[in-house]
Each structure stands twice: as C-alpha cells, then as structure tokens.
C-alpha cells in the first residue's frame, strides 16, 4: 500500500491594521472633499464614535443636479505602505443602505482621476476588496485609457458617497470599527 502526499498552495490574507482598532484614526488629518469645489452644497465629516469612526454628512444634488461628499486622507500617516498590500478590509459597524465608494488617488495623476470600488455596506459585516478590482475613473466616469493601478503610487485614500445624479440625496451615515490592509500569505496544505 503506497501513501501519496499532495502538496497544494492556497492563498490566505492577513490583516494589517491601518486605521482604528489598535491604531489611530488620525481624525485631524482627514479633509472633506465635496461638490462644494464646483459650487455645490453637500457636506461630509469623519468623527469619532463608539464603534470607531462615523462618516456622515448631507448629500445635496439640488444645485448641480449631481453631488458627492467624501473624506480623504494622505496615506503617509498610515503604519503600512499600500505597495505591500493586496487590498482593504473595512469592519463595518452600522450602515444606512446607500452605495459608497472607496477611492484612491496616485502621485502624478491627472486632476479628477482616481481608482474606485463601489459597494453597499451591510451592518456588522466586513467589506473586503482587492486593489486589482479598483477601476480607473476620470471626473466621475470610467476611464478606459488609464494605466492599471500601481499600488506603490497611491497617495490618498478616500471614502465617498455620490448622488448618481439625483437618485441619492439627504443625510448619510456609515460607521466603521477599522480599516485594515489585506496581505497575501501563501499556505502549503499537505
């Protein structure tokens, strides 16, 4: 009787704390980025809450017939670089059912360009996404001419909500316990 062992490799992901939990949210380093830059009136803020951080504000497309509100952070303040990571994990505490966008901008990118992933967070549920799934956008529209996302060039991380013209408007609120990086670990199975 012969016994054969088969080695197989599978991929698992470790979490690397970036914001919240055991590390600082850097609340004073976040800045609002809203449609006010184009004359709109939407508002956004990121504030401490019992869960960790609350992204809240008011989405108002009434002036421009489209609106957006977000909070942006320079990634230099984070304890890990994105070039070493494969994706992000958001530990969602509470959600309002709206669609949100995780958005990164790169060094030297055109003004108005970003890489985005859109999602509808669920209460008490993690949201995981991988950088390979981020789509290039220019001024709110997909940009097929953009180069693939180079993680080593990521300069800012943002969370945003958009009106999708006038489909979404009014108060919004998303509570997060933390944001962590996802880092690949090869695991050998016998």
């Amino acid at each position: 009787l012969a016994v054969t062992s088969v080695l197989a490799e599978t991929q698992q992901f470790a979490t690397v704390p970036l914001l919240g939990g055991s590390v600082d949210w850097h609340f004073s380093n976040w800045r609002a980025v809203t449609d006010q830059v184009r004359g709109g009136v939407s508002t956004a803020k990121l504030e401490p809450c019992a869960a960790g951080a609350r992204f809240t504000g008011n989405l108002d497309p009434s002036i421009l017939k489209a609106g957006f509100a977000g909070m942006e952070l320079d990634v230099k303040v984070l304890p890990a670089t994105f070039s070493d990571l494969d994706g992000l994990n958001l530990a969602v505490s509470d959600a309002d059912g709206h669609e949100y966008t995780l958005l990164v901008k790169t060094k030297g990118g055109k003004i108005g360009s970003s890489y985005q992933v859109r999602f509808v967070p669920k209460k008490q549920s993690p949201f995981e996404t991988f950088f390979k799934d981020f789509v290039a956008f220019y001024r709110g529209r997909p940009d097929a001419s953009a180069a693939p996302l180079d993680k080593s060039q990521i300069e800012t991380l943002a969370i945003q909500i958009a009106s999708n013209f006038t489909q979404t408007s009014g108060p919004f609120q998303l509570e997060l316990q933390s944001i962590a990086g996802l880092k690949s670990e090869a695991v050998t199975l016998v």
Side-chain angles (χ1 to χ4, degrees), residues 8-85:
E9 218 173 74
T10 185
Q11 211 168 22
Q12 292 183 344
F13 295 92
T15 55
V16 178
L18 298 175
L19 296 160
S22 63
V23 295
D24 192 355
W25 271 99
H26 301 282
F27 288 107
S28 64
N29 294 93
W30 290 83
R31 69 182 189 94
V33 179
T34 71
D35 55 32
Q36 292 180 21
V37 298
R38 295 187 343 224
V41 293
S42 296
T43 61
K45 62 184 173 179
L46 188 76
E47 60 190 12
C49 70
R54 179 183 300 117
F55 173 50
T56 186
N58 189 57
L59 190 59
D60 186 345
S62 65
I63 304 291
L64 303 171
K65 304 301 179 226
F68 66 91
M71 295 298 294
E72 180 177 77
L73 179 69
D74 188 321
V75 300
K76 287 183 211 162
V77 302
L78 299 178
T81 62
F82 282 27
S83 58
D84 296 332
L85 302 174

Side-chain angles (χ1 to χ4, degrees), residues 13 84-88 129-132 151 182-184:
F13 295 92
D84 296 332
L85 302 174
D86 297 292
L88 297 171
T129 187
F130 295 91
F131 291 123
K132 65 180 179 58
K151 301 181 296 185
L182 295 172
K183 186 171 182 156
S184 176

Side-chain angles (χ1 to χ4, degrees), residues 3-172:
V3 176
T4 306
S5 292
V6 177
L7 293 178
E9 218 173 74
T10 185
Q11 211 168 22
Q12 292 183 344
F13 295 92
T15 55
V16 178
L18 298 175
L19 296 160
S22 63
V23 295
D24 192 355
W25 271 99
H26 301 282
F27 288 107
S28 64
N29 294 93
W30 290 83
R31 69 182 189 94
V33 179
T34 71
D35 55 32
Q36 292 180 21
V37 298
R38 295 187 343 224
V41 293
S42 296
T43 61
K45 62 184 173 179
L46 188 76
E47 60 190 12
C49 70
R54 179 183 300 117
F55 173 50
T56 186
N58 189 57
L59 190 59
D60 186 345
S62 65
I63 304 291
L64 303 171
K65 304 301 179 226
F68 66 91
M71 295 298 294
E72 180 177 77
L73 179 69
D74 188 321
V75 300
K76 287 183 211 162
V77 302
L78 299 178
T81 62
F82 282 27
S83 58
D84 296 332
L85 302 174
D86 297 292
L88 297 171
N89 174 298
L90 279 68
V92 176
S93 177
D94 197 11
D96 57 14
H98 293 307
E99 179 182 74
Y100 289 85
T101 302
L102 269 181
L103 182 144
V104 295
K105 293 181 183 175
T106 56
K107 295 174 189 153
K110 298 182 288 191
I111 292 175
S113 66
S114 63
Y115 294 84
Q116 305 178 13
V117 65
R118 295 180 178 177
F119 65 105
V120 177
K122 295 184 177 17
K123 292 179 184 184
Q124 298 296 316
S125 182
F127 170 72
E128 289 187 353
T129 187
F130 295 91
F131 291 123
K132 65 180 179 58
D133 297 325
F134 278 63
V135 176
F137 277 77
Y138 180 67
R139 299 201 184 274
R141 303 205 185 281
D143 183 3
S145 69
L149 175 59
D150 179 350
K151 301 181 296 185
S152 70
Q153 297 301 304
I154 294 174
E155 191 168 53
T156 62
L157 169 67
I159 188 156
Q160 180 177 292
I161 187 169
S163 68
N164 297 319
F165 297 97
T166 57
Q167 292 176 16
T168 304
S169 64
F172 62 87

